[in-house]
């Protein structure tokens, strides 16, 4: 089968884990609802409690005896494999140069793959001996690779080049190692320690420059210590037969730092010097030959510089945080990189020129059978927690390996390094197999998608299919298999990589397909086993089982769309593929003659023809729609029950199913009015619905009728219980339904229309409302897209969202959303154009073409000229004969004639056609001017979307004399990869329960659950994953609130490192992690570190968005408070006043946030003894408190007291001044009492603005609070509708407005502060 996942380096203590991307709570993405969207099954506490114990066997200590160094002890755990001890020894500073050894206990060799608990006689204090073993060619290669990795361990070039899952992290540059020992640094005399607080010029409020170089500051460790000049394979390889028989395995060539040229033989006994030179082969040992078991020991003897520098290098390597070195599960690419010198690297060279497909060095049997691995991991047992963890870990590992291999293969295909399996056909139609993966290009071959939009449809089909694969994988039905699928966009082409069904290549597709249709519904077949398997997925996926007609007018039953094909492989497994229409069609973008959409859609200008007919609703939308209908169902039934109670005489008339969204949802107003009685009515409905559905016990026929009416009104497919399903084949061209199903089809059509209207009338306004309330705070295109997707809004609605923002009464408060939306619109339109532009470019012209495109897109230079590569100018005759033109084969120089005017005209055209939005910009400068955008932000967005990597330097975008980019500035083009993300379900449940506990105020229990979640996440994902990042962040926050600052610092440091490594160094999530870490540093008295972290966060936010963002107000308040604390009053004022103006803009001049901002500014003026200004600001604050909270609220009183205090100080100052005027220098002056703020008071203000509330409560208060929380929770459960907590929430609302509203700023669920 497959490799066990590589163990973690031992320094990583139990690494925790979970992800709230950009502060969005995970609850939204929760697992598939069981009962059609309701009754989330909780893991039973007792069960999970017992299961967890299984994993946590107690560890023990063993002694390790290594030749040549002192014996040392090592802590191990019983479930570890012997192999993991090997890994630890290969990572330790003093044993890292050994790779070829065995571990022996009492003279017996231990098997690498056995668990420690199965080894007889291994116990506390046992002595394990490290015994050097003879080399084989494989072991010698592994040894040389490992030494190369040690020599390059501090070199960032692999991260810049995007190889081997390396990625960048810059945290250590800003903390300067200050957080060492988890922050238990010796406290210096803090108050006195002078620190330099002046930020770089470009970080100050109001600065217009946005330098790029600061994004990747030079790390001191990167000037690597040179140990050797060259280490490479010798040209004399492989050894001739007679030398093989002497034990020669391979030859190496080395030039030492002292310029000594040596040839080395790797033999079975180790490494020694031979007498060969570059041109003479003489394999005899040199004298002295320095035979050593390890290459490092040999080099130590022949090169003093190597000995000194290698030791230093390893010392530095082990000092780095493990999170800076561990590989990430999926590759992250950097869009900028400095000019790195290209060094000779034997391992990279070997990788590029051998047929190494990735892993055969480490795995018997050469290439991996990906399909077999992907499917067998799914078949692993999952009855209890340890089994599920093992299964999920295996699934995750295989998926991340498969993604890496598929990406590599897709690039090889486009770069022309793979032979097609149908080489005689034209390039567009070619298909490829490489490393047991099947690759096809996103073009419409054989007119397959002719009725759906041709090439455009063929381009979107793979991503739709991938979404289908994700969904079926998440439902995880036993016995139903999907293909490993990865979609790679590279150099303008879309490549789909799939694992291969056993036997599929030997037969024709027509013979293999036993379920579904290969011609979009003309011929359709079905199969009972497939129906049975798909039936199990139909409830969670809301898919209706339905009948269609085939070409012989026979009825065929399906439980999926017709395109979904079922094939039984030679391995006997039931595969489904082509899942591109798993979700129902989006009627807003699919005009159908004779069908009219609801009023909401028509008002918004729908339906609109789209480029292809494969537009689907997102799964999130389907779920939200069903949830919405469920509430409606409960309300309608409750009203009818109440009416029955009120007038037994008249029975209510049934509601027509045709009720549009608006019509049906007006009736529930009565429920709102009914208040408490409404809640009890809903409880009755729930009980009644359950009784009817389960068919036990007598039910009053009237009540049965109530449920039937409600079911009919909301479009349920069952008349006795709420159950909404969609038929994915409705409106599919070419699909026909039997006469007998006409009613059902009519209802289904209505349901689809209602869903399309629901997206426009509920989801888009909901998104805009959340943005106005700042519960959703996107900072860049990716986080905006994510916020849309979480609400089920497709990106093609971006223009509509922007229209809605423009028409919103709160338009000024949505300024940041509008800017992000516009830049997303522009860069996505540019990406569409760039895609076709790149398809016509030959490899030799790639950097020239990309730099020319960027010049036309971003540079103010009016007429950039493209530099054609010299060989393009040769006569065109030769070109005609070239066989391997790039797929798409457009004219290879057409790109060179593009002009900025033309490109911007195309961008506006594309924005209109695709997003239905009028940009009306003729140049980039006009766009920047009109919408307040930044060119650097546009550059980042387009680079991330297209995979461009550019040189890290300052670009003069605005120069009208020379273009901003030259071809030397384009360093690389990377693939953009979409893949399945397998989840750790048990860990996720623990995390959710932990979050819930925290929200109820049970911090300790919450902390335990989340720590447990962390262990489980590590078990499944390894050490690095976005979800682990969220887990760490929450743990840090909890430890902080419970007063354990050191633990908070240590966890938050890991969260920052992980966010940088897994999401990117300037991802919005990373910016927020930096802010949290700064707060904990400040609380631990590391003031200069806190400031440099805040400055870094501010720089990143300026680069990613600019200054005018609500989050910037929070950041500036933090910076201002810290500067106030270190008595930098002038600087503090600049930041605090900026925060005040941003808050006033985004929260309204009368909001409590603005009052707090006024107060913070007043405090600094007080410290400067400028009482008039202080009074002015505090009065503003007081007025707001008084009007918002009333005279008697404690905030108003506090403000009033502070005003009195300020007035007294102002009067005292005035007296002193008068005294001086009267008596001149002989005046008797009382010294003014103006004190620097105490650290405690600064910290208290920091807590308020960051939304951390320490609530001083007595035991009795706590009991009452918990009882209240439980009561409210039950109420919400009964109604499932949002009952507005009136008085109880009023006080919370005040503190929430004024604080950041929750334990996790930006995370949705209300937490301590709002309880």
């Amino acid at each position: 089968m497959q490799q066990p996942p590589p163990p973690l380096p031992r320094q990583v203590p139990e690494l925790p884990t979970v992800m709230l991307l950009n502060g969005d709570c995970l609850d939204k993405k929760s697992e598939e609802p069981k009962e059609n969207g309701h009754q989330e099954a909780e893991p039973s506490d007792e069960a999970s409690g017992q299961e967890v114990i299984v994993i946590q066997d107690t560890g023990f200590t063993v002694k390790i005896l290594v030749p040549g160094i002192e014996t040392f002890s090592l802590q191990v755990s019983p479930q570890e494999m012997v192999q993991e001890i090997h890994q630890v020894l290969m990572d330790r500073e003093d044993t890292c140069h050994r790779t070829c050894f065995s571990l022996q206990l009492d003279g017996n060799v231990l098997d690498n793959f056995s668990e420690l608990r199965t080894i007889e006689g291994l116990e506390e204090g046992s002595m394990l001996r490290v015994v050097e073993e003879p080399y084989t060619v494989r072991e010698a290669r592994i040894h040389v690779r490992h030494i190369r990795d040690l020599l390059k361990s501090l070199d960032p070039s692999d991260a810049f080049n995007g190889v081997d899952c390396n990625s960048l992290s810059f945290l250590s540059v800003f903390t300067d190692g200050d957080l060492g020992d988890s922050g238990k640094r010796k406290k210096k005399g803090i108050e006195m320690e002078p620190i330099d607080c002046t930020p770089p010029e470009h970080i100050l409020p109001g600065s217009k420059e946005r330098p790029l170089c600061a994004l990747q500051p030079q790390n001191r460790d990167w000037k690597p210590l040179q140990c050797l000049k060259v280490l490479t394979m010798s040209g004399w390889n492989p050894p001739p037969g007679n030398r093989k028989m002497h034990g020669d395995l391979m030859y190496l060539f080395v030039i030492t730092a002292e310029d000594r040229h040596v040839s080395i033989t790797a033999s079975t006994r180790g490494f020694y010097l031979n007498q060969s030179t570059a041109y003479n082969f003489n394999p005899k040992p040199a004298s002295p030959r320095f035979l050593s078991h390890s290459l490092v020991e040999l080099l130590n003897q022949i090169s003093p510089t190597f000995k000194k520098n290698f030791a230093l290098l390893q010392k530095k390597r082990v000092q780095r945080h493990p999170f800076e070195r561990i590989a990430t599960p999926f590759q992250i690419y950097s869009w900028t990189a400095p000019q790195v010198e290209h060094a000779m690297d034997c391992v990279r060279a070997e990788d590029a020129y051998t047929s190494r497909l990735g892993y055969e060095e480490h795995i018997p049997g050469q290439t991996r059978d990906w399909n077999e691995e992907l499917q067998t991991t799914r078949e692993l047992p999952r009855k209890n927690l340890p089994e599920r963890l093992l299964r999920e870990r295996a699934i995750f590992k295989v998926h991340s390996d498969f993604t890496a291999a598929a990406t590599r293969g897709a690039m090889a295909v486009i770069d022309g390094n793979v032979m097609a399996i149908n080489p005689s056909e034209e390039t567009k139609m070619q298909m490829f197999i490489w490393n047991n993966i099947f690759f096809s290009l996103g073009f419409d071959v054989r007119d397959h998608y002719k009725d759906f939009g041709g090439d455009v449809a063929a381009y979107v089909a793979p991503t739709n299919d991938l979404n289908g694969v994700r969904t079926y994988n998440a439902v995880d039905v036993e016995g139903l298999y999907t293909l490993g699928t990865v979609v790679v966009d590279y150099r303008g082409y879309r490549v789909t990589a799939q694992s291969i069904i056993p036997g599929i290549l030997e037969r024709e597709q027509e013979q293999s397909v036993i379920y579904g249709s290969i011609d979009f519904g003309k011929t359709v077949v079905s199969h009972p086993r497939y129906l049975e398997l798909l039936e199990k997925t139909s409830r969670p996926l809301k898919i209706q089982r339905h009948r269609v007609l085939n070409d012989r007018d026979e009825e065929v039953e399906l439980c999926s769309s017709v395109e979904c094909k079922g094939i039984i492989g030679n391995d006997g497994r039931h595969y489904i593929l082509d899942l591109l229409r798993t979700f129902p069609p989006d009627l807003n973008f699919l005009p159908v003659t004779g069908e009219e959409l609801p009023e909401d859609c028509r008002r918004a200008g729908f339906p609109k023809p789209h480029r292809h007919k494969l537009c689907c609703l997102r799964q999130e939308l389907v779920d939200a729609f069903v949830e919405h209908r469920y509430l409606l169902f409960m309300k309608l039934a409750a009203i009818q029950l109440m009416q029955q109670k009120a007038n037994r005489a008249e029975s209510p008339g049934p509601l027509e199913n045709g009720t549009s969204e608006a019509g049906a949802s007006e009736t529930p107003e009565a429920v709102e009015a009914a208040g408490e009685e409404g809640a009890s009515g809903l409880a009755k409905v729930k009980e009644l619905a359950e009784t009817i559905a389960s068919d036990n016990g007598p039910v009053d026929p009237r009540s049965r009728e109530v449920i039937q009416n409600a079911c009919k009104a909301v479009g349920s497919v069952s008349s006795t219980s709420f159950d909404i399903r969609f038929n994915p084949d409705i409106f599919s061209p070419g699909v026909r339904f039997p006469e007998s199903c006409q009613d059902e089809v009519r209802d289904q059509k209505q349901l689809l229309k209602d869903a399309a209207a629901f997206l426009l009338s509920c989801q888009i306004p909901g998104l805009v409302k959340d943005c106005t309330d700042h519960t959703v705070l996107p900072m860049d295109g990716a986080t905006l897209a994510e916020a849309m997707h979480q609400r089920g809004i497709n990106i093609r609605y971006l223009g509509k969202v922007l229209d809605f923002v423009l028409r919103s009464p709160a338009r000024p408060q949505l300024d940041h959303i509008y800017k992000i939306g516009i830049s997303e619109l522009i860069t996505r339109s540019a990406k569409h154009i760039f895609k076709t532009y790149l398809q016509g470019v030959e490899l030799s012209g790639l950097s020239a073409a990309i730099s020319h495109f960027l010049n036309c897109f971003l540079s103010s230079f009016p007429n950039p000229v493209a530099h054609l590569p010299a060989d393009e100018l040769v006569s065109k005759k030769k070109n005609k004969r070239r066989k391997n033109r790039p797929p798409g084969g457009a004219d290879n120089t057409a790109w060179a004639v593009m002009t900025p005017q033309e490109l911007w005209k195309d961008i506006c055209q594309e924005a209109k056609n695709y997003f239905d939005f009028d940009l009306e910009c003729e140049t980039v400068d006009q766009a920047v001017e009109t919408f307040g955008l930044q060119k650097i932000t546009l550059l980042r967005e387009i680079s991330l979307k297209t995979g461009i990597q550019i040189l890290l330097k300052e670009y003069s975008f605005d120069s009208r004399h020379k273009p901003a980019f030259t071809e030397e500035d384009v360093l690389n083009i990377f693939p953009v990869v979409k893949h399945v993300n397998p989840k750790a379900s048990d860990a996720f449940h623990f995390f959710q329960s932990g979050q819930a506990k925290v929200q109820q105020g049970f911090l300790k229990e919450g902390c335990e659950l989340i720590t447990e979640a962390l262990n489980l996440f590590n078990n499944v994902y390894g050490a690095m994953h976005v979800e682990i990042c969220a887990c760490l962040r929450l743990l840090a926050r909890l430890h902080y609130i419970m007063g354990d600052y050191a633990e908070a610092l240590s966890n938050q440091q890991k969260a920052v490192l992980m966010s940088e490594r897994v999401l990117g160094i300037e991802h919005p999530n990373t910016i927020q992690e930096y802010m949290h870490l700064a707060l904990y540093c400040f609380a631990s008295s590391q003031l200069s570190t806190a400031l440099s972290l805040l400055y870094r966060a501010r720089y990143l936010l300026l680069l990613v968005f600019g200054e005018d963002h609500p989050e910037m107000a929070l950041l500036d308040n933090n910076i201002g408070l810290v500067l106030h604390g270190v008595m930098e009053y002038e600087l503090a004022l600049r930041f605090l006043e900026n925060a005040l103006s941003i808050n006033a803009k985004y929260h309204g001049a009368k909001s409590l946030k603005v009052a707090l901002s006024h107060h913070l500014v007043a405090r600094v003026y007080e410290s400067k003894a400028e009482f008039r200004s202080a009074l002015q600001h505090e009065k503003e604050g007081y007025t707001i408190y008084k009007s918002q909270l009333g005279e008697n609220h404690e905030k108003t009183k506090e403000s009033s007291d502070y005003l009195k205090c300020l007035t007294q100080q102002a009067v005292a100052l005035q007296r002193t001044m008068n005294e001086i005027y009267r008596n001149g220098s002989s005046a008797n002056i009382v010294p003014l009492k103006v004190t620097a703020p105490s650290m405690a008071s600064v910290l208290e203000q920091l807590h308020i603005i960051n939304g951390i509330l320490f609530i001083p409560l007595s035991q009795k208060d706590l009991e009452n609070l918990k009882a209240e929380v439980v009561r409210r929770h039950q109420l919400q459960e009964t109604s499932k509708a949002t009952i507005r907590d009136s008085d109880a929430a009023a006080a919370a609302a005040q503190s929430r407005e004024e604080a950041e509203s929750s334990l996790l700023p930006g995370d949705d669920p209300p937490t301590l502060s709002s309880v």
Side-chain angles (χ1 to χ4, degrees), residues 299-337:
L299 294 168
N300 276 341
Q301 294 176 71
I302 61 171
S303 165
T305 315
F306 178 88
K307 185 172 185 175
K308 183 177 111 217
N309 286 354
F310 187 77
L312 271 173
L313 187 67
Q314 295 324 307
K315 200 172 233 61
K316 276 188 165 173
R317 177 179 68 87
V318 293
Q319 278 167 0
R320 290 176 72 196
H321 196 288
F323 281 12
E324 293 182 69
R325 319 186 269 140
I326 299 171
T328 58
F330 299 104
Q331 183 68 56
I332 292 286
Y333 299 101
S334 165
W335 64 278
T336 53

Side-chain angles (χ1 to χ4, degrees), residues 22 771 776-788 798 801-802 805 811 814-828 931-934 937-938 940-941 945 1068 1101 1104-1106 1108-1111 1146:
N22 192 22
C771 291
V776 174
L777 255 189
M779 289 189 209
D780 69 346
T783 41
L784 175 66
E786 193 188 348
M788 288 173 64
L798 183 58
V801 172
L802 289 175
V805 167
R811 165 74 184 84
L814 291 166
D815 209 23
H816 60 301
I817 303 292
Y818 189 63
K819 277 184 193 163
I820 296 172
I822 290 286
S823 73
E824 186 69 350
L825 197 105
I826 290 176
T827 44
R828 277 182 185 267
F931 301 110
L933 308 176
Q934 305 185 133
T937 306
L938 291 172
R940 171 180 179 264
E941 293 282 0
K945 287 178 177 54
L1101 183 49
V1104 164
F1105 176 83
D1108 190 17
H1109 192 283
E1111 194 72 354
Y1146 284 108

Side-chain angles (χ1 to χ4, degrees), residues 1272-1311:
R1272 233 188 263 171
H1273 189 63
Q1274 286 166 345
L1275 256 178
Q1276 277 180 334
E1277 277 305 293
T1278 2
S1279 69
K1280 193 79 173 148
T1282 43
I1283 295 173
R1284 289 160 186 67
D1285 312 340
S1286 47
D1287 305 339
Q1294 289 147 11
S1295 65
R1296 182 182 324 161
E1297 239 279 23
E1298 160 196 309
E1300 270 298 306
S1301 115
S1302 65
L1303 268 173
L1304 300 171
D1307 296 352
D1308 288 357
T1311 35

Side-chain angles (χ1 to χ4, degrees), residues 66-365:
V66 183
I69 61 171
E70 287 180 16
T71 306
F72 58 88
S73 303
L74 190 65
Q75 178 80 23
V76 294
S77 99
Q79 322 66 27
E80 283 181 9
M81 292 189 181
V82 176
Q83 189 196 17
E84 300 189 37
I85 300 182
H86 268 259
Q87 292 285 348
V88 173
L89 295 178
M90 283 165 65
D91 201 60
R92 263 181 76 101
E93 189 182 343
D94 47 6
T95 56
C96 62
H97 56 279
R98 301 176 179 277
T99 59
C100 186
F101 58 87
S102 61
L103 290 168
Q104 301 189 357
L105 176 65
D106 307 330
N108 299 323
V109 176
L110 304 185
D111 167 34
N112 257 351
F113 293 106
S114 52
E115 293 191 355
L116 298 184
R117 59 174 168 211
T118 60
I119 296 167
E120 274 180 53
L122 183 63
E123 55 196 19
E124 178 72 36
S126 293
M127 171 79 79
L128 292 178
R129 300 176 68 92
V130 169
V131 180
E132 297 175 343
E133 294 290 340
Y135 283 97
T136 59
V137 173
R138 178 172 177 274
E139 284 293 347
R141 278 178 185 279
I142 286 176
H143 185 76
V144 173
R145 290 184 93 83
H146 180 64
I147 301 304
R148 173 266 181 195
D149 287 344
L150 291 176
L151 289 172
K152 290 194 65 167
S153 55
L154 297 181
D155 179 1
S157 57
D158 280 357
F160 287 125
N161 294 330
V163 280
D164 288 351
C165 289
N166 285 300
S167 58
L168 298 163
S169 161
F170 290 98
L171 177 63
S172 55
V173 177
F174 299 99
T175 56
D176 214 24
D178 271 357
L179 302 177
D181 310 337
S182 321
K184 299 188 191 71
R185 205 164 56 112
K186 300 180 293 299
K187 301 249 176 30
K188 301 180 183 161
I190 301 303
E191 304 291 338
M192 307 322 296
E193 178 192 355
I195 54 178
D196 178 26
C197 309
T198 339
E201 199 58 38
H202 60 262
I203 288 175
L204 289 172
S207 162
K208 284 283 172 274
E209 53 172 327
R210 302 278 181 265
L212 186 57
C213 289
L215 179 60
Q216 294 174 344
Q218 277 301 304
N219 194 326
R220 286 197 309 269
D221 292 343
W222 286 356
K223 277 285 153 254
L225 299 152
Q226 196 184 33
C227 301
L228 294 172
K229 287 189 175 166
V230 174
L231 160 65
T232 174
M233 296 289 167
S234 156
W236 298 116
N237 283 317
N242 62 330
R243 291 306 307 166
K244 264 192 192 159
M245 299 170 84
H246 283 83
D248 290 9
L249 302 171
M250 62 183 189
Y251 306 117
L252 303 172
F253 175 64
V254 169
I255 303 179
T256 66
E258 297 85 359
D259 241 352
R260 180 177 171 194
H261 292 228
V262 289
S263 265
I264 296 176
T265 300
S267 73
T268 49
R269 299 182 4 217
F271 295 80
Y272 62 83
L273 298 187
N274 63 37
Q275 296 178 28
S276 299
T277 64
Y279 303 111
N280 283 333
F281 180 59
N282 183 354
K284 298 272 188 301
S287 74
R289 67 175 182 166
F290 297 120
L291 174 65
S292 317
H293 191 262
S294 127
L295 184 55
V296 171
E297 288 164 359
L298 169 66
L299 294 168
N300 276 341
Q301 294 176 71
I302 61 171
S303 165
T305 315
F306 178 88
K307 185 172 185 175
K308 183 177 111 217
N309 286 354
F310 187 77
L312 271 173
L313 187 67
Q314 295 324 307
K315 200 172 233 61
K316 276 188 165 173
R317 177 179 68 87
V318 293
Q319 278 167 0
R320 290 176 72 196
H321 196 288
F323 281 12
E324 293 182 69
R325 319 186 269 140
I326 299 171
T328 58
F330 299 104
Q331 183 68 56
I332 292 286
Y333 299 101
S334 165
W335 64 278
T336 53
Q339 196 73 61
V340 184
E341 284 177 14
H342 189 56
M344 210 182 253
D345 182 340
C346 61
V347 173
R348 285 271 165 265
E350 184 191 32
D351 286 359
Y353 292 116
T354 55
S355 62
R356 255 190 91 242
L357 294 181
Y359 290 92
E360 65 265 7
E361 308 254 320
H362 311 287
I363 288 187

